[in-house]
Amino acid sequence: MRIVIAGASGLIGTDLTATLRSQGHSVMALVRREPSGPHEARWDPASLSLDPSILEGADAVINLSGAGIGDRLWTKKRVDVLVGSRLKATRTLTQAMASLSTPPSVFLSQSASGYYGDTGSTIITEDHAAGTGFLADLCVEWEETAHLAPAGVRVVTPRTGIVLSPKGGALGKLLPLLRLGVGGPLGSGRQFWPWISLPDVSGALSFLLTADVEGPVNLAGPQSADVNTLTSALATALHRPAFLKVPGPILKLVMGKMAQEMLLSGQRMEPAVLTRSGYTFEHPTVDSAAAWVADSL
Protein backbone atom coordinates (compact mmCIF):
# COMPACT_ATOMS: atom_id res chain seq x y z
CA MET A 1 0.00 0.00 0.00
CA ARG A 2 0.99 3.64 -0.43
CA ILE A 3 0.37 5.33 2.92
CA VAL A 4 0.60 8.98 3.94
CA ILE A 5 1.18 9.65 7.65
CA ALA A 6 0.73 12.93 9.51
CA GLY A 7 2.52 12.91 12.84
CA ALA A 8 5.12 10.35 11.76
CA SER A 9 7.85 11.78 14.01
CA GLY A 10 6.06 11.13 17.32
CA LEU A 11 6.31 8.05 19.53
CA ILE A 12 3.59 6.13 17.72
CA GLY A 13 4.37 7.54 14.29
CA THR A 14 8.04 6.56 14.40
CA ASP A 15 7.28 2.98 15.41
CA LEU A 16 4.35 2.65 13.01
CA THR A 17 6.37 3.96 10.07
CA ALA A 18 9.09 1.38 10.73
CA THR A 19 6.47 -1.37 11.09
CA LEU A 20 4.70 -0.49 7.84
CA ARG A 21 7.92 -0.25 5.87
CA SER A 22 9.03 -3.62 7.24
CA GLN A 23 5.78 -5.02 5.83
CA GLY A 24 6.66 -3.70 2.38
CA HIS A 25 4.41 -0.62 2.35
CA SER A 26 5.48 2.74 0.94
CA VAL A 27 5.18 5.50 3.58
CA MET A 28 5.16 9.24 2.92
CA ALA A 29 5.55 11.41 6.03
CA LEU A 30 4.04 14.89 6.16
CA VAL A 31 6.43 17.39 7.76
CA ARG A 32 6.26 21.08 8.65
CA ARG A 33 9.89 21.74 7.64
CA GLU A 34 11.75 21.40 4.38
CA PRO A 35 11.54 17.72 3.27
CA SER A 36 14.79 15.81 3.73
CA GLY A 37 14.10 13.21 1.05
CA PRO A 38 11.56 11.63 -1.30
CA HIS A 39 9.68 9.98 1.58
CA GLU A 40 8.68 13.35 3.05
CA ALA A 41 6.31 16.08 1.88
CA ARG A 42 5.68 19.50 3.36
CA TRP A 43 2.38 20.73 4.74
CA ASP A 44 1.21 23.51 7.05
CA PRO A 45 -1.84 22.40 9.06
CA ALA A 46 -1.83 25.65 11.06
CA SER A 47 -2.95 27.41 7.87
CA LEU A 48 -4.91 24.39 6.53
CA SER A 49 -2.38 24.07 3.73
CA LEU A 50 -1.65 20.78 1.95
CA ASP A 51 -1.15 20.22 -1.76
CA PRO A 52 -3.81 17.60 -2.59
CA SER A 53 -1.52 16.04 -5.19
CA ILE A 54 0.56 14.65 -2.30
CA LEU A 55 -2.38 12.37 -1.50
CA GLU A 56 -2.95 11.43 -5.14
CA GLY A 57 -2.68 7.67 -5.51
CA ALA A 58 -2.47 7.02 -1.77
CA ASP A 59 -4.33 3.97 -0.51
CA ALA A 60 -4.54 5.24 3.07
CA VAL A 61 -3.99 8.32 5.20
CA ILE A 62 -3.08 7.99 8.88
CA ASN A 63 -3.51 11.03 11.12
CA LEU A 64 -1.47 11.03 14.34
CA SER A 65 -1.02 14.79 14.58
CA GLY A 66 -1.48 16.68 17.82
CA ALA A 67 0.56 18.45 20.50
CA GLY A 68 1.36 16.30 23.54
CA ILE A 69 -1.56 16.22 25.98
CA GLY A 70 0.61 15.73 29.06
CA ASP A 71 3.68 17.70 28.01
CA ARG A 72 2.73 20.95 29.75
CA LEU A 73 0.18 22.32 32.21
CA TRP A 74 -3.21 23.15 30.71
CA THR A 75 -3.06 26.92 30.61
CA LYS A 76 -5.58 28.64 28.37
CA LYS A 77 -2.86 29.10 25.76
CA ARG A 78 -1.87 25.43 25.96
CA VAL A 79 -5.48 24.27 25.66
CA ASP A 80 -5.81 26.31 22.47
CA VAL A 81 -2.70 24.56 21.11
CA LEU A 82 -4.01 21.10 22.05
CA VAL A 83 -7.32 21.73 20.31
CA GLY A 84 -5.98 23.59 17.29
CA SER A 85 -3.18 21.13 16.55
CA ARG A 86 -5.70 18.30 16.31
CA LEU A 87 -8.65 19.89 14.61
CA LYS A 88 -6.69 21.91 12.05
CA ALA A 89 -4.54 18.94 11.07
CA THR A 90 -7.59 16.72 10.66
CA ARG A 91 -9.49 19.36 8.70
CA THR A 92 -6.49 19.93 6.43
CA LEU A 93 -6.38 16.23 5.56
CA THR A 94 -10.12 15.85 4.94
CA GLN A 95 -10.20 18.97 2.75
CA ALA A 96 -7.30 17.69 0.65
CA MET A 97 -8.98 14.30 0.26
CA ALA A 98 -12.22 15.96 -0.78
CA SER A 99 -10.53 17.72 -3.70
CA LEU A 100 -9.34 14.44 -5.24
CA SER A 101 -11.32 12.61 -7.90
CA THR A 102 -10.25 9.33 -6.27
CA PRO A 103 -9.55 9.83 -2.55
CA PRO A 104 -7.74 7.24 -0.41
CA SER A 105 -9.90 4.29 0.53
CA VAL A 106 -9.22 4.51 4.27
CA PHE A 107 -8.56 7.28 6.78
CA LEU A 108 -7.27 6.29 10.23
CA SER A 109 -7.57 9.36 12.44
CA GLN A 110 -6.33 9.16 16.00
CA SER A 111 -8.64 9.74 18.96
CA ALA A 112 -8.13 8.77 22.61
CA SER A 113 -9.59 6.91 25.58
CA GLY A 114 -10.40 10.32 27.06
CA TYR A 115 -13.49 10.25 24.82
CA TYR A 116 -15.30 8.34 27.57
CA GLY A 117 -14.42 10.64 30.48
CA ASP A 118 -14.15 9.04 33.92
CA THR A 119 -16.14 5.79 33.85
CA GLY A 120 -15.02 4.13 37.08
CA SER A 121 -15.10 0.33 37.00
CA THR A 122 -17.73 0.05 34.25
CA ILE A 123 -16.51 -2.00 31.28
CA ILE A 124 -16.45 0.28 28.24
CA THR A 125 -16.85 -0.84 24.64
CA GLU A 126 -17.01 1.30 21.51
CA ASP A 127 -20.76 1.89 21.71
CA HIS A 128 -20.49 3.67 25.07
CA ALA A 129 -21.50 7.35 25.05
CA ALA A 130 -19.02 10.20 25.27
CA GLY A 131 -18.16 11.44 28.74
CA THR A 132 -17.69 14.94 30.08
CA GLY A 133 -14.64 17.12 30.55
CA PHE A 134 -12.05 18.78 28.35
CA LEU A 135 -10.59 15.55 26.93
CA ALA A 136 -14.00 14.07 26.16
CA ASP A 137 -15.16 17.24 24.41
CA LEU A 138 -11.92 17.41 22.43
CA CYS A 139 -12.19 13.78 21.31
CA VAL A 140 -15.79 14.22 20.21
CA GLU A 141 -14.90 17.22 18.06
CA TRP A 142 -11.76 15.49 16.78
CA GLU A 143 -13.73 12.46 15.61
CA GLU A 144 -16.46 14.58 14.07
CA THR A 145 -13.83 16.42 12.05
CA ALA A 146 -12.38 13.11 10.83
CA HIS A 147 -15.81 12.09 9.55
CA LEU A 148 -15.79 15.12 7.23
CA ALA A 149 -13.75 12.90 4.91
CA PRO A 150 -15.46 12.48 1.53
CA ALA A 151 -18.02 9.78 0.85
CA GLY A 152 -16.49 6.42 0.08
CA VAL A 153 -13.58 6.83 2.48
CA ARG A 154 -13.65 4.31 5.32
CA VAL A 155 -13.04 6.38 8.46
CA VAL A 156 -11.62 4.69 11.56
CA THR A 157 -11.05 6.61 14.79
CA PRO A 158 -8.79 4.59 17.13
CA ARG A 159 -9.40 5.58 20.75
CA THR A 160 -5.91 4.89 22.07
CA GLY A 161 -5.21 4.21 25.72
CA ILE A 162 -1.96 4.73 27.64
CA VAL A 163 0.89 3.53 25.47
CA LEU A 164 3.47 1.42 27.31
CA SER A 165 6.90 2.13 25.87
CA PRO A 166 10.47 2.19 27.19
CA LYS A 167 10.74 5.84 26.20
CA GLY A 168 8.37 8.75 25.83
CA GLY A 169 4.61 8.62 25.99
CA ALA A 170 2.63 8.56 29.21
CA LEU A 171 5.35 6.60 31.02
CA GLY A 172 8.05 9.08 30.10
CA LYS A 173 8.06 10.66 33.57
CA LEU A 174 6.98 7.60 35.59
CA LEU A 175 9.50 5.04 34.33
CA PRO A 176 12.63 6.84 35.63
CA LEU A 177 11.08 6.96 39.11
CA LEU A 178 10.17 3.27 38.98
CA ARG A 179 13.69 2.40 37.87
CA LEU A 180 15.03 4.25 40.92
CA GLY A 181 12.59 2.38 43.18
CA VAL A 182 10.75 5.54 44.22
CA GLY A 183 7.71 5.28 41.93
CA GLY A 184 4.27 4.05 42.81
CA PRO A 185 0.52 4.50 42.36
CA LEU A 186 -1.02 7.89 41.66
CA GLY A 187 -4.03 8.83 43.75
CA SER A 188 -5.98 5.87 45.12
CA GLY A 189 -4.45 3.57 42.52
CA ARG A 190 -7.85 2.01 41.96
CA GLN A 191 -8.65 3.96 38.78
CA PHE A 192 -8.47 1.84 35.63
CA TRP A 193 -5.97 2.87 32.98
CA PRO A 194 -6.54 1.44 29.47
CA TRP A 195 -3.00 0.37 28.61
CA ILE A 196 -1.53 -0.97 25.37
CA SER A 197 2.05 -1.76 24.35
CA LEU A 198 3.66 0.27 21.57
CA PRO A 199 4.08 -2.80 19.31
CA ASP A 200 0.35 -3.50 19.64
CA VAL A 201 -0.52 0.10 18.76
CA SER A 202 1.45 -0.24 15.53
CA GLY A 203 0.14 -3.76 14.98
CA ALA A 204 -3.47 -2.71 15.49
CA LEU A 205 -3.20 0.35 13.24
CA SER A 206 -1.60 -1.78 10.54
CA PHE A 207 -4.39 -4.36 10.96
CA LEU A 208 -7.06 -1.66 10.67
CA LEU A 209 -5.76 -0.55 7.27
CA THR A 210 -7.39 -3.57 5.68
CA ALA A 211 -9.85 -4.87 8.30
CA ASP A 212 -13.57 -4.60 7.60
CA VAL A 213 -13.96 -2.02 10.37
CA GLU A 214 -15.07 1.60 10.50
CA GLY A 215 -15.85 4.13 13.21
CA PRO A 216 -14.42 4.02 16.73
CA VAL A 217 -11.99 1.29 17.79
CA ASN A 218 -10.69 0.94 21.35
CA LEU A 219 -6.91 0.52 21.31
CA ALA A 220 -6.25 -1.13 24.67
CA GLY A 221 -4.92 -4.45 25.90
CA PRO A 222 -7.49 -7.20 26.53
CA GLN A 223 -6.62 -7.46 30.24
CA SER A 224 -7.96 -4.54 32.26
CA ALA A 225 -5.75 -3.13 35.01
CA ASP A 226 -5.99 -0.43 37.62
CA VAL A 227 -3.04 1.84 38.41
CA ASN A 228 -1.98 -0.32 41.37
CA THR A 229 -1.76 -3.38 39.12
CA LEU A 230 -0.02 -1.53 36.31
CA THR A 231 2.67 0.12 38.43
CA SER A 232 3.23 -3.12 40.35
CA ALA A 233 3.74 -5.07 37.09
CA LEU A 234 6.20 -2.49 35.80
CA ALA A 235 8.11 -2.38 39.09
CA THR A 236 8.29 -6.18 39.23
CA ALA A 237 9.60 -6.34 35.67
CA LEU A 238 12.23 -3.75 36.63
CA HIS A 239 13.07 -5.62 39.86
CA ARG A 240 12.24 -2.55 41.91
CA PRO A 241 9.74 -1.74 44.67
CA ALA A 242 6.76 0.52 43.97
CA PHE A 243 5.71 1.88 47.33
CA LEU A 244 5.67 5.66 46.99
CA LYS A 245 2.03 6.60 46.52
CA VAL A 246 1.34 10.18 45.41
CA PRO A 247 -1.93 11.46 46.95
CA GLY A 248 -4.56 12.86 44.63
CA PRO A 249 -4.75 16.27 46.39
CA ILE A 250 -1.02 16.77 45.83
CA LEU A 251 -1.36 15.98 42.13
CA LYS A 252 -4.29 18.38 41.80
CA LEU A 253 -2.35 21.10 43.61
CA VAL A 254 0.62 20.75 41.28
CA MET A 255 -1.13 19.93 38.00
CA GLY A 256 -4.67 21.28 38.41
CA LYS A 257 -7.41 20.03 36.10
CA MET A 258 -4.87 18.08 34.09
CA ALA A 259 -4.24 15.75 37.06
CA GLN A 260 -7.92 14.94 37.49
CA GLU A 261 -8.57 14.10 33.84
CA MET A 262 -5.27 12.42 32.95
CA LEU A 263 -4.10 10.68 36.13
CA LEU A 264 -6.93 10.35 38.63
CA SER A 265 -9.70 9.45 36.19
CA GLY A 266 -9.89 6.20 34.31
CA GLN A 267 -11.63 4.02 31.78
CA ARG A 268 -11.97 0.25 31.96
CA MET A 269 -11.81 0.07 28.20
CA GLU A 270 -12.29 -3.22 26.35
CA PRO A 271 -10.97 -3.71 22.77
CA ALA A 272 -14.24 -5.26 21.61
CA VAL A 273 -13.94 -4.35 17.92
CA LEU A 274 -10.31 -5.47 17.62
CA THR A 275 -11.03 -8.77 19.35
CA ARG A 276 -14.16 -9.43 17.29
CA SER A 277 -12.28 -8.63 14.08
CA GLY A 278 -9.54 -11.15 14.78
CA TYR A 279 -6.59 -9.01 15.85
CA THR A 280 -4.01 -11.01 17.83
CA PHE A 281 -2.24 -9.05 20.57
CA GLU A 282 1.51 -9.37 20.88
CA HIS A 283 1.20 -8.39 24.55
CA PRO A 284 -2.22 -9.53 25.80
CA THR A 285 -1.41 -9.21 29.52
CA VAL A 286 -0.05 -6.45 31.73
CA ASP A 287 2.85 -8.67 32.78
CA SER A 288 3.89 -9.41 29.19
CA ALA A 289 3.75 -5.73 28.25
CA ALA A 290 5.69 -4.71 31.37
CA ALA A 291 8.32 -7.37 30.66
CA TRP A 292 8.72 -6.04 27.10
CA VAL A 293 9.17 -2.48 28.42
CA ALA A 294 11.81 -3.63 30.93
CA ASP A 295 13.66 -5.74 28.35
CA SER A 296 13.69 -2.80 25.90
CA LEU A 297 15.33 -0.33 28.27
Side-chain angles (χ1 to χ4, degrees):
M1 299 177 72
R2 180 172 181 268
I3 302 164
V4 176
I5 299 184
S9 63
L11 175 69
I12 295 174
T14 300
D15 191 77
L16 177 61
T17 297
T19 297
L20 292 173
R21 286 177 175 160
S22 73
Q23 295 171 346
H25 301 298
S26 170
V27 179
M28 173 73 74
L30 299 180
V31 297
R32 293 173 174 82
R33 50 171 172 75
E34 194 65 30
S36 61
H39 296 299
E40 292 184 347
R42 193 167 189 173
W43 74 325
D44 182 14
S47 61
L48 304 180
S49 176
L50 171 62
D51 182 351
S53 67
I54 294 170
L55 304 185
E56 194 79 54
D59 300 294
V61 174
I62 301 176
N63 176 26
L64 304 172
S65 289
I69 288 287
D71 291 356
R72 304 177 192 175
L73 293 178
W74 290 353
T75 61
K76 184 182 183 305
K77 182 178 179 180
R78 184 60 178 173
V79 165
D80 290 342
V81 170
L82 295 176
V83 174
S85 65
R86 285 162 173 76
L87 302 189
K88 287 184 177 180
T90 308
R91 178 61 69 90
T92 301
L93 293 169
T94 58
Q95 286 181 348
M97 283 187 272
S99 69
L100 299 175
S101 57
T102 306
S105 60
V106 59
F107 181 36
L108 304 187
S109 189
Q110 184 74 284
S111 185
S113 57
Y115 175 94
Y116 301 110
D118 186 6
T119 56
S121 61
T122 302
I123 295 176
I124 302 301
T125 58
E126 287 84 354
D127 57 359
H128 197 276
T132 58
F134 165 64
L135 292 180
D137 292 344
L138 173 57
C139 288
V140 168
E141 197 169 1
W142 199 5
E143 293 185 18
E144 288 176 347
T145 305
H147 282 283
L148 295 175
V153 176
R154 179 171 60 89
V155 178
V156 182
T157 52
R159 294 171 180 166
T160 307
I162 292 173
V163 180
L164 302 188
S165 165
K167 57 183 179 180
L171 293 183
K173 296 180 176 65
L174 180 59
L175 265 182
L177 297 177
L178 288 170
R179 294 181 74 183
L180 291 170
V182 293
L186 305 174
S188 71
R190 293 189 295 273
Q191 66 273 34
F192 283 87
W193 278 3
W195 62 273
I196 184 169
S197 73
L198 182 58
D200 272 321
V201 174
S202 294
L205 292 175
S206 176
F207 173 82
L208 290 169
L209 286 173
T210 56
D212 185 19
V213 171
E214 60 183 326
V217 178
N218 289 346
L219 258 58
Q223 180 189 38
S224 61
D226 62 17
V227 174
N228 286 328
T229 301
L230 189 56
T231 53
S232 176
L234 287 166
T236 298
L238 293 166
H239 307 291
R240 295 289 189 273
F243 60 85
L244 186 61
K245 181 175 288 190
V246 184
I250 298 297
L251 290 170
K252 290 180 183 178
L253 181 64
V254 174
M255 301 173 66
K257 183 180 179 182
M258 178 178 168
Q260 180 59 48
E261 291 205 32
M262 286 196 64
L263 303 177
L264 302 176
S265 296
Q267 304 85 28
R268 192 173 182 178
M269 202 166 78
E270 184 177 277
V273 170
L274 278 178
T275 301
R276 185 168 63 243
S277 302
Y279 176 73
T280 301
F281 283 87
E282 184 173 342
H283 301 119
T285 66
V286 176
D287 288 343
S288 64
W292 171 78
V293 170
D295 291 344
S296 302
L297 287 170

